[in-house]
Amino acid sequence: MISSIKQKENEPIFQGYFKENSDDDNDDNSIKKPTLIMNVQDTKYDVVKFVGKKIFKWKLQYEIDGNLWDIFWTDASVQSETLGKMQPHQKINHFPGMFSLSRKNHLGRNLMKMKKEFPYEYKFFPLTWLLPTDYGEFRNQFTKGKIKTFIIKPEASSQGRGIFLTRNINDIDSTDHYVAQRYLDNPFLIDGLKFDLRVYVLLAGTEPLRIYVYKDGLVRFATQPYVPPSSNNIDDVCMHLTNYAINKENPNFIFNNDASKMDVGHKRSIKSVFGKLQEEGYNIEKLWQDMYKLFIKTFCSVQPILNHHYKSCQPDNYANNMCFEILGFDIFLNHKLQPYLLEVNHTPSFTTDTPLDSIIKKNLIRDTLILMNVNTKAKNQIIQSRREQLQQRVLTGKKQKITQEEKQAQIQKYQKLRDEYENNNLGDFIKIYPLQDSGEYKRFIEFASKLQDNWTGSNIKRNYKVESDQINKNNGHYVIKPQKQQLQQKIKEQQIRINQFGCQNDEQELQNYQKQVIVQNQFKRQVQ
């Protein structure tokens, strides 16, 4: 693959649209070199097809059931079954299990669990309540005294659909499923307008986490001058919400029509806005560092979930490189320029209706595919390695087993190769994890792993040996452990909550607790 620098100089200009059979496409038939196949049947974005076809000269595949592809780009989430069927040289642009971040209710639940254990380190998101589960606690916020404002979001929606502000508990049905958050009413303003940041973060591996941040992104402005919320303006979505899909319908919205002026209009580039703020004396380097920590801690809260899904599907992929995902982190800045996480989008929009969008998103996708080493040389190396393994199995008549030490050596070898390649092909990305001084995040992943074990019951086996030893010490008499008593108590509590609110998530949690008790009872009978 030619270098990313040379490619930027010679690559065609993206005009915001792509046509497969355009007139300037007639030279593709003369290409004799082997090329990769990019399946784009499940993406609607022209910029993705443009990058694959025009920049990398790949063949685009539109067959729904096609499986002879090298990279699959989809706008939908990826199921574990899809990853499990993939060949080692294939790559796909999502991780299974990413709902743990992209669904507002799952993100809120995971972050609140971490905040309970690490209150100082996890204070980078608004106070959150999951309704109807937390309805009673949320109702207590509406007490006499200072009137508070809350923002109410549907559990799974995008582009601002269904979001509203409220100061009255009666606006919310006690049985509806919402994510309620304290409204952050002290925003940093530019030109008197509220705004948020769309920062693009690339997850390139689960164990270890491999996290990259793109140096450019979008700054999305509201279209009405900001005034703190009151009964008179609480319904003004173009003042309090910064969603592009909402504000572009306002007659006040100014579109950016000049790629050379990315600091104009109600949607601007992060580089242009941060450049001006830095000229005004603001510490932009500290802001970036604060956001890097926010991104890493967010991923730490779900690393065990993502890694479990990945390793269950591809246990022998020691390179940790078959999935990647560009996530859109929506960031709010308060009046002190401190970042707060609003939400995480697992399919950020790649619509290119302005020159600004076209340039940023085209460069982002191109740099991502280069960084992920999607090329013919890498593909052939993987296929050759796989072929050698199969030949060895034919000669020996069985799959070659390796020790844990040999496995770790293989993992370290592949990680070193990835580090060398990726450090030389960053493009406009910056690597934020893992780094040499990343040890401070280990405790967050360890605690998240503990939470995951408790949720899935993975810790039961580990407890069996302890219980068995204690049985022997008690002359073979089975003693009911405090853990079992706690599970039984949790079952009672969950049944009460289900009867009150009928929450589906609580029903799933109840079934999990009951399953753990059943397994413990089976163990008890076996011992007896």
Side-chain angles (χ1 to χ4, degrees):
M1 179 180 288
I2 59 180
S3 69
S4 58
I5 296 177
K6 185 176 180 181
Q7 201 167 40
K8 291 179 183 179
E9 294 174 352
N10 298 333
E11 69 187 23
I13 298 174
F14 179 55
Q15 301 291 348
Y17 62 90
F18 172 78
K19 188 176 181 180
E20 175 73 19
N21 296 318
S22 56
D23 294 336
D24 60 349
D25 196 34
N26 53 16
D27 60 333
D28 286 351
N29 295 327
S30 63
I31 298 176
K32 302 297 182 181
K33 295 180 180 179
T35 186
L36 300 184
I37 299 175
M38 184 182 199
N39 191 303
V40 293
Q41 60 91 11
D42 202 25
T43 180
K44 63 182 179 181
Y45 296 116
D46 283 352
V47 64
V48 174
K49 302 169 187 176
F50 178 88
V51 171
K53 184 71 172 182
K54 295 298 184 179
I55 295 181
F56 294 121
K57 308 299 181 183
W58 296 338
K59 178 181 178 182
L60 301 187
Q61 182 185 78
Y62 293 91
E63 289 80 4
I64 296 178
D65 298 325
N67 56 8
L68 297 178
W69 45 264
D70 301 295
I71 179 167
F72 193 103
W73 193 288
T74 173
D75 300 338
S77 58
V78 169
Q79 302 302 316
S80 298
E81 293 79 7
T82 301
L83 176 59
K85 294 177 181 178
M86 286 170 52
Q87 298 300 311
H89 69 276
Q90 295 179 316
K91 299 183 189 297
I92 195 165
N93 69 315
H94 288 291
F95 285 88
M98 192 55 76
F99 62 85
S100 54
L101 280 186
S102 62
R103 285 282 298 251
K104 296 179 179 65
N105 55 334
H106 286 281
L107 175 65
R109 181 181 296 108
N110 290 320
L111 290 181
M112 287 191 294
K113 288 179 179 179
M114 298 297 289
K115 185 176 183 180
K116 189 174 181 180
E117 181 71 12
F118 307 104
Y120 179 77
E121 291 86 350
Y122 277 81
K123 59 179 183 179
F124 54 78
F125 63 99
L127 292 175
T128 303
W129 296 265
L130 305 181
L131 308 180
T133 304
D134 299 332
Y135 183 83
E137 182 181 345
F138 179 61
R139 183 175 52 197
N140 293 336
Q141 299 294 314
F142 296 84
T143 56
K144 292 182 179 180
K146 183 180 178 180
I147 299 177
K148 302 175 183 178
T149 305
F150 300 90
I151 184 167
I152 312 300
K153 308 175 182 179
E155 286 183 347
S157 66
S158 60
Q159 300 182 333
R161 288 188 290 265
I163 298 177
F164 63 95
L165 270 60
T166 184
R167 297 178 137 195
N168 188 342
I169 187 63
N170 294 325
D171 291 339
I172 304 167
D173 191 305
S174 62
T175 62
D176 285 343
H177 288 250
Y178 284 114
V179 175
Q181 292 182 317
R182 182 71 184 271
Y183 179 73
L184 302 174
D185 57 5
N186 55 346
F188 188 94
L189 301 178
I190 294 179
D191 300 335
L193 300 174
K194 181 181 175 181
F195 64 90
D196 75 351
L197 309 176
R198 166 60 60 84
V199 184
Y200 296 108
V201 183
L202 172 67
L203 181 65
T206 61
E207 190 178 30
L209 288 170
R210 302 182 74 89
I211 309 172
Y212 295 86
V213 176
Y214 206 61
K215 296 178 184 177
D216 207 357
L218 303 175
V219 183
R220 305 170 302 183
F221 288 82
T223 44
Q224 294 292 122
Y226 180 78
V227 178
S230 67
S231 56
N232 295 326
N233 65 29
I234 198 170
D235 295 326
D236 192 340
V237 293
C238 291
M239 175 188 294
H240 297 294
L241 302 184
T242 55
N243 304 76
Y244 172 67
I246 292 175
N247 282 280
K248 71 177 182 178
E249 303 300 329
N250 190 322
N252 295 335
F253 191 91
I254 299 175
F255 284 89
N256 179 292
N257 295 315
D258 189 343
S260 65
K261 297 179 180 179
M262 293 199 177
D263 59 345
V264 175
H266 287 94
K267 187 196 287 186
R268 309 175 192 177
S269 73
I270 283 181
K271 283 186 175 180
S272 68
V273 171
F274 280 12
K276 283 196 171 184
L277 291 177
Q278 192 160 7
E279 290 176 0
E280 295 173 7
Y282 291 98
N283 191 343
I284 298 303
E285 178 59 30
K286 181 181 183 302
L287 172 58
W288 273 119
Q289 292 299 324
D290 289 343
M291 288 196 291
Y292 294 161
K293 294 176 182 178
L294 181 157
F295 301 145
I296 297 171
K297 291 175 182 177
T298 301
F299 281 116
C300 285
S301 69
V302 297
Q303 187 274 343
I305 300 173
L306 298 177
N307 191 51
H308 170 74
H309 281 275
Y310 190 86
K311 289 296 178 64
S312 297
C313 301
Q314 292 291 341
D316 297 328
N317 178 233
Y318 300 146
N320 186 27
N321 65 346
M322 293 175 65
C323 294
F324 65 94
E325 188 151 355
I326 300 173
L327 296 134
F329 276 69
D330 292 345
I331 303 296
F332 167 92
L333 301 180
N334 72 4
H335 64 295
K336 295 181 180 180
L337 218 63
Q338 295 171 329
Y340 285 80
L341 176 63
L342 299 179
E343 61 184 70
V344 180
N345 299 271
H346 82 108
T347 52
S349 171
F350 288 125
T351 300
T352 50
D353 53 354
T354 70
L356 178 146
D357 286 286
S358 296
I359 292 177
I360 292 177
K361 294 172 183 178
K362 183 258 294 182
N363 292 345
L364 166 66
I365 295 170
R366 177 203 62 211
D367 288 357
T368 296
L369 294 172
I370 292 175
L371 187 62
M372 289 306 301
N373 202 8
V374 185
N375 57 70
T376 306
K377 180 181 177 181
K379 171 188 175 180
N380 291 338
Q381 288 175 342
I382 295 172
I383 292 176
Q384 179 61 28
S385 176
R386 180 70 170 172
R387 185 179 292 120
E388 291 173 358
Q389 293 175 10
L390 293 175
Q391 289 175 347
Q392 183 68 23
R393 186 185 302 182
V394 171
L395 292 174
T396 60
K398 58 182 179 180
K399 183 178 180 180
Q400 185 180 9
K401 293 184 178 180
I402 62 175
T403 65
Q404 189 65 26
E405 290 75 14
E406 291 173 329
K407 177 180 177 181
Q408 288 303 317
Q410 287 287 324
I411 291 174
Q412 292 300 320
K413 169 190 170 183
Y414 283 114
Q415 294 310 313
K416 183 178 180 181
L417 291 173
R418 283 195 70 179
D419 288 339
E420 291 175 354
Y421 173 83
E422 291 171 7
N423 290 341
N424 292 320
N425 292 274
L426 287 170
D428 225 8
F429 278 105
I430 182 169
K431 184 178 182 178
I432 66 171
Y433 192 92
L435 301 175
Q436 290 183 348
D437 58 350
S438 299
E440 63 175 299
Y441 299 101
K442 184 178 179 181
R443 57 190 173 129
F444 303 135
I445 295 177
E446 289 176 346
F447 181 73
S449 297
K450 182 180 177 181
L451 292 175
Q452 174 72 356
D453 287 348
N454 290 339
W455 171 254
T456 60
S458 300
N459 58 336
I460 293 179
K461 271 188 181 179
R462 291 193 292 271
N463 293 334
Y464 278 175
K465 187 175 185 304
V466 177
E467 292 190 0
S468 181
D469 293 341
Q470 291 175 342
I471 291 170
N472 293 332
K473 290 178 182 179
N474 288 278
N475 298 323
H477 295 292
Y478 185 82
V479 181
I480 295 179
K481 294 290 171 285
Q483 182 196 23
K484 183 177 177 181
Q485 294 173 337
Q486 293 171 2
L487 287 172
Q488 291 172 333
Q489 179 61 30
K490 287 180 179 179
I491 289 174
K492 292 180 181 179
E493 293 173 357
Q494 292 297 96
Q495 286 174 332
I496 293 173
R497 291 163 69 180
I498 290 172
N499 291 335
Q500 288 179 339
F501 303 117
C503 182
Q504 183 179 1
N505 292 330
D506 287 336
E507 290 180 357
Q508 295 173 352
E509 192 168 351
L510 172 61
Q511 292 172 2
N512 185 62
Y513 291 143
Q514 290 174 329
K515 184 177 179 181
Q516 293 184 45
V517 171
I518 291 171
V519 173
Q520 286 196 356
N521 288 334
Q522 291 175 344
F523 172 74
K524 173 184 173 181
R525 288 193 294 271
Q526 290 173 1
V527 171
Q528 290 175 338

